[in-house]
Amino acid sequence: MEKLRTTRKQKGFTQQQIADIIATDVSNYSRKESGDVKIFDDEWEKIAKALDVSVEDIKEERTAQNNQNTTLNDSASFNDNASINYNQFCNIPNYLLESQQEYIKLLKEQITILKAENAKLKQG
């Protein structure tokens, strides 16, 4: 996304400032700007408005190299690419995912404790 990066720098904006505008963290925005994560239409509009340019001035179409959906049609390569590309278009910051994973772990521990307690109560 060279047009976006160049325009952002010319206008004097940091990645953090643009990340704040589209309500994401700077590491996620960096991945968006490098083309690793999809920039959604509403985000393009917010960024263009902030940079005072049209969406067409900064938006570039994703290349086949970045968007590997074409290889997914080949069943032999599907399994190889599916795990690699699973989070490619995910727009959830890593810290939220990590927080949810910790919460799931805590819930599993509580379930185990409750099952043991339930078994003791059934035995009398």
Side-chain angles (χ1 to χ4, degrees):
M1 305 291 176
E2 198 56 41
K3 286 170 39 174
L4 172 58
R5 179 179 289 116
T6 301
T7 303
R8 175 185 57 79
K9 289 180 178 180
Q10 286 174 346
K11 298 284 185 167
F13 281 82
T14 65
Q15 286 188 336
Q16 180 66 62
Q17 289 170 314
I18 301 297
D20 292 342
I21 289 166
I22 62 171
T24 191
D25 61 281
V26 70
S27 64
N28 191 47
Y29 174 74
S30 177
R31 289 189 300 272
K32 287 177 178 284
E33 191 177 82
S34 67
D36 294 334
V37 175
K38 180 179 180 177
I39 300 175
F40 294 96
D41 289 340
D42 64 318
E43 294 173 325
W44 280 116
E45 291 172 19
K46 289 176 185 177
I47 295 168
K49 184 177 180 180
L51 297 176
D52 195 29
V53 296
S54 70
V55 172
E56 293 75 27
D57 289 340
I58 57 173
K59 186 174 182 180
E60 295 176 52
E61 293 302 318
R62 297 174 62 84
T63 63
Q65 180 182 4
N66 288 338
N67 188 359
Q68 296 179 359
N69 290 337
T70 55
T71 61
L72 296 181
N73 293 331
D74 180 5
S75 60
S77 65
F78 178 77
N79 289 333
D80 293 337
N81 290 322
S83 61
I84 295 170
N85 294 325
Y86 181 74
N87 287 326
Q88 183 173 359
F89 298 110
C90 187
N91 198 23
I92 302 171
N94 284 337
Y95 71 90
L96 288 179
L97 293 174
E98 291 167 3
S99 173
Q100 292 300 303
Q101 289 170 344
E102 290 174 15
Y103 186 60
I104 290 169
K105 181 181 175 186
L106 174 67
L107 290 174
K108 286 180 178 180
E109 291 171 358
Q110 290 176 344
I111 288 170
T112 302
I113 292 168
L114 289 172
K115 282 183 178 179
E117 185 179 327
N118 192 22
K120 287 180 186 177
L121 290 173
K122 284 183 180 179
Q123 291 176 355

